[in-house]
Amino acid sequence: MIPGDAVLDAFINANILFVVAFVLWRAARFALDHAGLKHAYATQLKLLNTVFVAIVLSPFLILGLTALQSALGQGVNVNLSDMVVSYYLNGGFEMRATEFERLMSMRDTFTADVMRAGSWVAWAAIAAFVVGLAIGTVRLVFSTYCLHKIVSVSYAWRKFGRLRIRLSDKTLVPFSTRGLRNYYVVIPSNMLGNADELKVSLAHEFQHLRQGDIEWEILLEALKPFFFLNPAYHAWKRQVEDLRELSCDSQVLASGRVGVRAYCETLLSVCQQTLRRDRVFVVAVPKVTLVTADRSALRDGKMSFLEQRITTLLDARSLSYPRLVYAALILPLLAAIMITAMAIQSPGDWSHDRLMLSTVVNLERLEEINRLSTFGRVRN
């Protein structure tokens, strides 16, 4: 059985990694934009998904790297805590050893405090996590129920293997989702009277299925309650949602089966319908839709995501050597994630530097005891 403190430690590391990975991703996207690769949306989406998998698997990867270092002998120590201790002992900065030790052990102290619920800070952290998890779980269960309700009351129209195309009078926006076995593409019934909109909607949702966007949406929504309090996770999810739509748009147009004008007109028409959509459809997840209305952008006077999509469609470009671009970016990103994951691990056995620090701390404490004893004798 895995100890509770190890689980808590891994959870803290995952939250830190999401923050670091999002910062690295923003830097990578900045580099892509300035290298003329802004429109490489499929590659960017693939990068995000790969880094996400690396974060989730990082505890197992760290165990593998640690075992490999042990088998090969002494490896390179990249633990951040050990490096800071070494820097301090070499005179990198001035601070009392007792204060420095207290600062370096804050995380271990917090972890132990939370495990035994020993202070109001620990209780506040536990309460915040439990409330966030409860809100996220209730929202997910209710949203899944709403989605199931929309799909269950729709009408069967076409069937191809595990794919089910259904017509609905309850939604104005095409979307796709899946069950335990079958995939579902739900189309508003009124689209049967407009061949262009129907063609665009089906092509768009089929592309989502080919990209595996449904599975990624399910995974991100399932983990969302656990990272409810981490803003980097929410920002990461929004990036994935935006990139998968931009990637899907570019891939559908690249196939040549749908014209740009028909595609843009469909997006505008469906978006106009979404402004009148019901609340049940808004909260229903996990699903991927053709388009959604960005009400906050309309209210704040900013460029909406729909406007960005249409601008991108009108300025569509094909990427040369996408695999080469992907490889050139994913290798340094994964290396940075792995180094960070190793750096933020709790230090293992006592190193020479930590023994030296402990000795200095004990000497300071002994000096303080002698000082107080001498002060007491002088007063007497």
Side-chain angles (χ1 to χ4, degrees), residues 119-133:
S119 68
W120 69 267
V121 175
W123 276 108
I126 295 171
F129 174 75
V130 170
V131 170
L133 180 63

Side-chain angles (χ1 to χ4, degrees), residues 177-301:
T177 186
R178 67 164 299 169
L180 294 176
R181 183 175 184 277
N182 297 320
Y183 293 87
Y184 299 93
V185 174
V186 181
I187 303 294
S189 302
N190 58 8
M191 272 195 178
L192 292 178
N194 191 318
D196 288 339
E197 289 188 2
L198 181 62
K199 182 179 180 180
V200 169
S201 299
L202 289 175
H204 184 92
E205 298 307 324
F206 290 166
Q207 181 60 34
H208 275 310
L209 298 180
R210 280 191 290 269
Q211 293 180 175
D213 291 336
I214 300 297
E215 287 76 11
W216 280 108
E217 177 65 12
I218 292 173
L219 177 61
L220 290 170
E221 284 291 340
L223 292 177
K224 193 174 180 179
F226 296 95
F227 298 97
F228 191 82
L229 300 177
N230 190 338
Y233 186 86
H234 297 278
W236 186 279
K237 188 174 184 300
R238 284 194 297 271
Q239 285 285 303
V240 171
E241 292 169 351
D242 291 350
L243 284 174
R244 76 182 175 207
E245 295 303 328
L246 294 170
S247 173
C248 189
D249 293 343
S250 62
Q251 294 296 322
V252 170
L253 289 182
S255 68
R257 296 195 209 51
V258 178
V260 176
R261 180 172 180 175
Y263 202 97
C264 293
E265 287 178 348
T266 300
L267 291 180
L268 291 170
S269 175
V270 175
C271 184
Q272 188 177 23
Q273 296 293 330
T274 63
L275 293 173
R276 304 194 299 270
R277 66 190 178 188
D278 59 346
R279 182 63 182 169
V280 174
F281 182 79
V282 175
V283 300
V285 294
K287 66 181 186 304
V288 287
T289 62
L290 174 67
V291 66
T292 55
D294 191 351
R295 297 168 186 265
S296 62
L298 295 174
R299 182 178 62 251
D300 300 336

Side-chain angles (χ1 to χ4, degrees), residues 18-84:
F18 272 119
V19 175
V20 173
F22 185 74
V23 173
L24 291 173
W25 160 248
R26 296 298 297 180
R29 191 164 188 183
F30 178 83
L32 283 171
D33 291 349
H34 284 74
L37 300 174
K38 180 179 179 180
H39 295 81
Y41 299 118
T43 301
Q44 294 180 39
L45 180 62
K46 191 176 179 181
L47 286 170
L48 273 181
N49 290 339
T50 305
V51 172
F52 184 89
V53 171
I55 293 174
V56 174
L57 298 180
S58 61
F60 306 100
L61 296 175
I62 294 301
L63 287 175
L65 289 174
T66 304
L68 181 62
Q69 283 190 347
S70 300
L72 297 177
Q74 182 65 31
V76 179
N77 184 14
V78 295
N79 186 273
L80 182 61
S81 178
D82 287 342
M83 288 190 289
V84 173

